[in-house]
Amino acid sequence: MSDYNHILTRVACFPVFYLFFAAGTIGGGLLGLGLGIVNYETVGLLGGAFIGLFIGLFLGLSALVLAVIFNLLAPCLGGIPVSLAPLPSKQEQSGQAHTDDI
């Protein structure tokens, strides 16, 4: 028997876009602003912020395109098998059982 109990065939596209846009904007913004501070005469702070926005948009749109392609191909190819398990409860984590539960 397989260890997988679910098959992933669809991914929500816009949360993927939001996540990659935010990560790209934050990472690219820090890189761009750092470049703007170090090379102030060439890039400037607004140029560094624009670099961060451009990197964020590029990563977000790339992730959106890949999510759409995945959604088109995954049902045809059988999807990706994943294993989903519930999180242990607080009682199971502590190892204590209450007498009221029995």
Side-chain angles (χ1 to χ4, degrees), residues 26-86:
I26 291 170
L30 291 176
L31 177 73
L33 288 176
L35 182 65
I37 290 171
V38 171
N39 237 350
Y40 189 74
E41 296 84 23
T42 307
V43 178
L45 290 178
L46 288 178
F50 177 74
I51 290 171
L53 180 64
F54 179 74
I55 290 173
L57 279 174
F58 177 74
L59 285 178
L61 291 175
S62 299
L64 181 68
V65 167
L66 289 176
V68 168
I69 291 172
F70 176 81
N71 285 343
L72 291 174
L73 294 178
C76 300
L77 300 175
I80 299 174
V82 293
S83 178
L84 300 176

Side-chain angles (χ1 to χ4, degrees), residues 19-30:
L19 177 69
F20 277 85
F21 175 72
T25 303
I26 291 170
L30 291 176

